[in-house]
Amino acid sequence: MHEDGNGDGRGVESDVAASGVDQPAFLALERELTVLLRRARANQGEMAREVHPDLESAAYGLLVRLDECGSQRATELAAYIGVGKATMSRQLRALEELGLVAREPDPADGRAWLVALTQEGHDRVTRVRAARRARYAGRLEDWDSREVAELARLLNQLNRGMEK
């Protein structure tokens, strides 16, 4: 039996059983999220290659973030993606070399830099995201629009809960 780290002698298995996560609903949730995440990782690689053949899969999320939120500091991007400074610096350097992002001085702090999409980066990301949404629309064409909206709402609620 594994210790739960609290030193009370109860194992992780007893905590899981006691909390009810072995219910069919949680088992189904785990299974479906596993399939969804596996497919999402594969799709992210495809999307990255559509933006640029040399783009790393992980960097696609950075481009989308910059497209949605505008210029950001590298530290903000690293925190959002969940990587360290060195990894973020490497990814940003690669994106700069591909001509997809550029650094500009932060007007609020002359010592800091902001990262922004170049026009080329914006155009490529916009095109790929539109194609992605078209694929979703095609795959969900037999869904009612209210069901699609409800799925988006529930996924948003799940994502907010995962941030805690």
Side-chain angles (χ1 to χ4, degrees), residues 12 14 23 30 40 42 50 53 57-58 72 74 81 88 97 108 123 128-129 132 135 146 150 156 162-163:
V12 171
S14 65
Q23 296 174 8
E30 177 194 22
E50 287 179 32
S57 177
Q72 294 195 332
I81 300 293
M88 182 55 55
E97 290 171 7
D123 292 347
V128 170
R129 292 185 77 195
R132 184 182 205 183
R135 280 195 291 273
R146 291 175 301 225
E150 179 66 1
N156 178 267
M162 296 296 201
E163 291 175 358

Side-chain angles (χ1 to χ4, degrees), residues 36-51 55 57-65 67-68 80 123-141 148 155 159:
L36 178 67
L37 293 172
R38 181 174 33 85
R39 288 183 179 154
R41 278 191 295 276
N43 284 339
Q44 184 167 328
E46 291 172 19
M47 300 298 156
R49 286 186 296 279
E50 287 179 32
V51 169
L55 184 64
S57 177
Y60 178 75
L62 288 173
L63 296 175
V64 170
R65 178 69 175 184
D67 188 45
E68 290 180 345
Y80 175 77
D123 292 347
R124 287 176 179 244
V125 170
T126 299
R127 179 181 46 79
V128 170
R129 292 185 77 195
R132 184 182 205 183
R133 286 189 306 275
R135 280 195 291 273
Y136 288 152
R139 289 182 179 142
L140 301 176
E141 66 186 353
V148 175
L155 287 172
N159 286 328

Side-chain angles (χ1 to χ4, degrees), residues 33 36 133 136 140 143-161:
L33 282 176
L36 178 67
R133 286 189 306 275
Y136 288 152
L140 301 176
W143 286 39
D144 183 274
S145 63
R146 291 175 301 225
E147 291 173 316
V148 175
E150 179 66 1
L151 176 59
R153 186 190 70 75
L154 290 170
L155 287 172
N156 178 267
Q157 185 176 335
L158 175 65
N159 286 328
R160 282 194 327 263

Side-chain angles (χ1 to χ4, degrees), residues 39-103:
R39 288 183 179 154
R41 278 191 295 276
N43 284 339
Q44 184 167 328
E46 291 172 19
M47 300 298 156
R49 286 186 296 279
E50 287 179 32
V51 169
H52 192 284
D54 298 328
L55 184 64
E56 289 183 28
S57 177
Y60 178 75
L62 288 173
L63 296 175
V64 170
R65 178 69 175 184
L66 290 169
D67 188 45
E68 290 180 345
C69 299
S71 301
Q72 294 195 332
R73 290 185 180 185
T75 52
E76 293 172 311
L77 289 168
Y80 175 77
I81 300 293
V83 297
K85 272 177 54 175
T87 299
M88 182 55 55
S89 292
R90 183 184 59 77
Q91 287 182 343
L92 291 175
R93 203 168 29 257
L95 291 171
E96 282 181 294
E97 290 171 7
L98 294 174
L100 301 173
V101 302
R103 295 177 201 244

